[in-house]
Structures are given as structure tokens and as C-alpha cells.
Amino acid sequence: MGRGAVQPAWEADLMARVLDPANGRRAGKRVKANKGAPGVEGLPVEEFPALAREHWPEIRAALEQGTYQPPPVRRQAIPKPGGSGERLLGIAGVTDRVIQPAILPVLTPVLDGDCSPSSDGFRPARSAHPAVKAVQSAIGEGYRVAVDMDVEQFFDNVNVDILMARLARQVSDRQLLPLIGPTGGCLGRRGDSSH
């Protein structure tokens, strides 16, 4: 699938892959390694295994039935590097912090093929190093100007309806889309709590 091609991911039940126990264990390990502050429910990530042992059947059923409702994210202001103000972080609840990285390895292969070959940010097996090499190569070819762009506050300003419509053209799993969408998912939850 090349850049611009629209080919829905009909080949498999994506939610089943998200909920695969091995995928869940990998997601849990990533979350535990990242540590981080608790969400609105106040549970640290270290308490997720006990929570999962007691409540996973209900959580899994809600995910499969499309009725899962994540708690609001906790808002936390953190200083920007260089003292240029603050950045508002949304800290998800502990269950969401495991569900979100369980979705990522399932959706990445579906969506990564449409990314620009020049895009190195937040993509598997990519980093700033290829971008630096590309700039060095361009300098060697005689170019003298390099532009580094970042869309400031992208997720605060993106039109979520358009983004979700584009995503729905590539992801056919109707159980998975609501976990990502604006009413209950990773993109711009409404009713966020302030902290």
C-alpha cells in the first residue's frame, strides 16, 4: 500500500489482536517501565496487575461490546524546556495506560504505510538520526536551508471529526474506533478533569 492509497484493514479482527494476552503483557511492561503519575482514579501503574486480576473479565467484555468508557484524563501543567511557559499534559487512568499501548502495535502496521518517507517522528525504527543524515546529504548536494517543523498543540487544534473519518477509511474494526475517537478515546476526550 503506497502513500495515499486507501485500503481498509479488513484482513483481521483488530480488537482481538489488541486483546491478545501476549500483546497485553507487552503493553503492561511498557507502561510499568515508563512509570508516570496516576490518573484521576489515583492508582499507580504498579497496582494494575491486581486491578486486572479482579476486573479484567468486565473490562474485556466492555471493550469487545464497545461499551468501555474510560475515565477522564487528569490535566497536569508541566514547564516547557527553556522556561517558555507550560505544557498541559493529559494523564490517562491506569487501565487506559495499558489499553492505549496495546492498540499501538496493532494499528501502526495498518497506518504506517501512508506516512511520508521523510517523516521520522514517532514511527517504528525511526528517530532524528535519519533526518539529520538527510539534511547532511542535502547540504552535500548544495542546498543551504533546512526547515524543521513541528505543529504546536496539534491535538488541541486538529479537527477530530475529519481525522476520525480518515481513520475509518482504513480501519474497519468498529469496536476499535470508539477507543480512539473523541467521545471515549485517545483523541481529545471531553469532560477532562483539571488538576
Side-chain angles (χ1 to χ4, degrees), residues 169-184:
R169 290 180 4 203
Q170 292 184 278
V171 176
S172 63
D173 192 319
R174 297 304 180 234
Q175 294 171 303
L176 187 54
L177 286 174
L179 293 177
I180 301 165
T183 58

Side-chain angles (χ1 to χ4, degrees), residues 15 18 20 25 42 60 88-89 93 97 99 107 111-112 118 133 135 143 162 169 172 178-179:
M15 183 57 86
V18 168
D20 178 83
R25 283 190 294 276
R60 181 184 180 101
L88 199 58
L89 272 184
R97 288 176 62 194
I99 292 170
L107 278 188
L111 303 174
D112 196 57
S118 300
K133 286 182 181 177
V135 169
Y143 291 94
I162 292 172
R169 290 180 4 203
S172 63
L179 293 177

Side-chain angles (χ1 to χ4, degrees), residues 105-189:
V106 173
L107 278 188
T108 296
V110 173
L111 303 174
D112 196 57
D114 279 347
C115 291
S116 165
S118 300
S119 175
D120 292 303
F122 302 101
R123 292 180 64 198
R126 293 187 180 238
S127 67
H129 299 293
V132 170
K133 286 182 181 177
V135 169
Q136 289 171 333
S137 175
I139 289 169
E141 294 172 15
Y143 291 94
R144 295 291 172 247
V145 176
V147 179
D148 176 20
M149 293 192 315
D150 186 15
V151 181
E152 187 175 346
Q153 298 179 336
F154 174 79
F155 285 104
D156 292 337
N157 298 302
V158 69
N159 184 319
V160 176
D161 294 332
I162 292 172
L163 186 60
M164 288 304 298
R166 299 267 324 223
L167 185 60
R169 290 180 4 203
Q170 292 184 278
V171 176
S172 63
D173 192 319
R174 297 304 180 234
Q175 294 171 303
L176 187 54
L177 286 174
L179 293 177
I180 301 165
T183 58
C186 308
L187 299 176
R189 289 194 188 108

Side-chain angles (χ1 to χ4, degrees), residues 19-101:
L19 295 174
D20 178 83
N23 185 43
R25 283 190 294 276
R26 285 189 297 272
K29 285 179 183 175
R30 280 192 298 272
V31 171
K32 188 175 179 182
N34 288 341
K35 299 181 181 158
V40 291
E41 79 278 79
L43 290 174
V45 293
E46 294 79 17
E47 291 188 30
F48 180 75
L51 175 80
R53 278 190 295 277
E54 187 174 345
H55 296 288
W56 184 248
E58 303 100 78
I59 295 168
R60 181 184 180 101
L63 289 165
E64 290 172 334
Q65 294 163 11
T67 59
Y68 176 76
Q69 289 295 314
V73 296
R74 180 170 68 89
R75 292 293 184 191
Q76 177 72 45
I78 61 167
K80 287 185 177 179
S84 61
E86 292 184 330
R87 185 170 73 118
L88 199 58
L89 272 184
I91 302 171
V94 68
T95 302
D96 271 9
R97 288 176 62 194
V98 174
I99 292 170
Q100 290 171 7

